[in-house]
C-alpha cells in the first residue's frame, strides 16, 4: 500500500467523524498483466462516504482498458478510474462488538458448510445498514502492486526495492 493511503487513513480515523475508513485505488492501476483479478468496485457518495461495494470477478487489462466477461459471455468495459478496495481499512474500536456479533451470526448460519468466505467489505456494508456505521473513503492516485500470479513476483520485488530505497518502507522489510 502507498504511504499516502496509510496517512489518509490515519488522518480520518484520528478525526473521529467516521466509524471506518477505506482506502481506494483506481482500478486500472491495480491489474495484473498476467491474468484476471477480482476487485471490489466501490460506490462513493458526495461526501466521500462508501455507498456500495460490488465484488467483481475476473477483471482483465484489455487493450482499451479494464474489462470483465458478463454472464452472457460478452466483454463489458469498466471505468479505468473506478475506485476499488484492496482491503486497506481502518476501524474505530466501537465497531468491534458489532463485527463480533455479525461474524458469529455468519458462522452460525453456515455450520456444516465446507466452503465459504466471510468477506470484510460485505460485513462493513451490512454494518452500515444494521448498525448505522459510516465509512469514509480516501482515494489514492497511486499504483498498487499485488501478487496474484507467480509471474507478478518480479514486479512486486522491484516495487518493494524502490519503496525501501526511497524510504517509503523500512529496510530491511522483515527482521
Amino acid at each position: 500500500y502507498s504511504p499516502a493511503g496509510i496517512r489518509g487513513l490515519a488522518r480520518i480515523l484520528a478525526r473521529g467523524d467516521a466509524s471506518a475508513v477505506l482506502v481506494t485505488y483506481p482500478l486500472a492501476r491495480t491489474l495484473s498483466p498476467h491474468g484476471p483479478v477480482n476487485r471490489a468496485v466501490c460506490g462513493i457518495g458526495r461526501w466521500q462516504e462508501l455507498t456500495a461495494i460490488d465484488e467483481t470477478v475476473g477483471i482483465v487489462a484489455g487493450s482499451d482498458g479494464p474489462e470483465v466477461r458478463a454472464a452472457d459471455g460478452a466483454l463489458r468495459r469498466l471505468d479505468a478510474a473506478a475506485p476499488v478496495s484492496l482491503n486497506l481499512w481502518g476501524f474505530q474500536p466501537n465497531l468491534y462488538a458489532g463485527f463480533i456479533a455479525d461474524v458469529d451470526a455468519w458462522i452460525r448460519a453456515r455450520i456444516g458448510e465446507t466452503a465459504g468466505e466471510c468477506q470484510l467489505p460485505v460485513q462493513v456494508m451490512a454494518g452500515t445498514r444494521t448498525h448505522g456505521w459510516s465509512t469514509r473513503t480516501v482515494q489514492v492516485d497511486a499504483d498498487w502492486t499485488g501478487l496474484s500470479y507467480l509471474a507478478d513476483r518480479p514486479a512486486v520485488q522491484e516495487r518493494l526495492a524502490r519503496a525501501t530505497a526511497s524510504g517509503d518502507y523500512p529496510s530491511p522489510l522483515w527482521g
Side-chain angles (χ1 to χ4, degrees):
Y1 300 108
S2 65
I6 294 168
R7 281 192 298 271
L9 184 147
R11 183 183 71 249
I12 294 173
L13 280 177
R15 281 193 330 225
D17 61 352
S19 306
V21 180
L22 171 63
V23 177
T24 65
Y25 290 81
L27 172 60
R29 297 180 76 174
T30 70
L31 302 178
S32 170
H34 304 290
V37 297
N38 303 339
R39 295 290 180 258
V41 180
C42 300
I44 299 176
R46 179 177 177 188
W47 307 108
Q48 301 305 306
E49 74 277 12
L50 182 67
T51 59
I53 292 184
D54 178 21
E55 293 285 344
T56 306
V57 176
I59 302 170
V60 296
S63 58
D64 292 327
E67 53 193 22
V68 66
R69 193 156 305 279
D72 64 4
L75 284 176
R76 178 175 57 109
R77 245 184 252 314
L78 300 173
D79 179 359
V84 297
S85 166
L86 297 161
N87 282 324
L88 178 52
W89 296 86
F91 300 102
Q92 298 293 354
N94 62 344
L95 268 67
Y96 297 143
F99 267 127
I100 291 167
D102 294 349
V103 171
D104 183 61
W106 185 91
I107 291 168
R108 289 178 187 277
R110 287 155 185 83
I111 289 178
E113 291 182 14
T114 58
E117 179 181 0
C118 185
Q119 297 173 326
L120 182 58
V122 172
Q123 293 300 317
V124 172
M125 291 309 298
T128 299
R129 289 186 300 278
T130 61
H131 304 300
W133 298 344
S134 62
T135 301
R136 295 284 177 259
T137 61
V138 175
Q139 297 176 55
V140 178
D141 189 24
D143 290 329
W144 180 85
T145 305
L147 192 59
S148 297
Y149 298 93
L150 183 58
D152 293 328
R153 184 176 176 177
V156 171
Q157 288 174 312
E158 192 270 329
R159 166 129 192 288
L160 290 173
R162 272 195 338 261
T164 54
S166 70
D168 285 345
Y169 295 149
S171 181
L173 281 174
W174 294 274

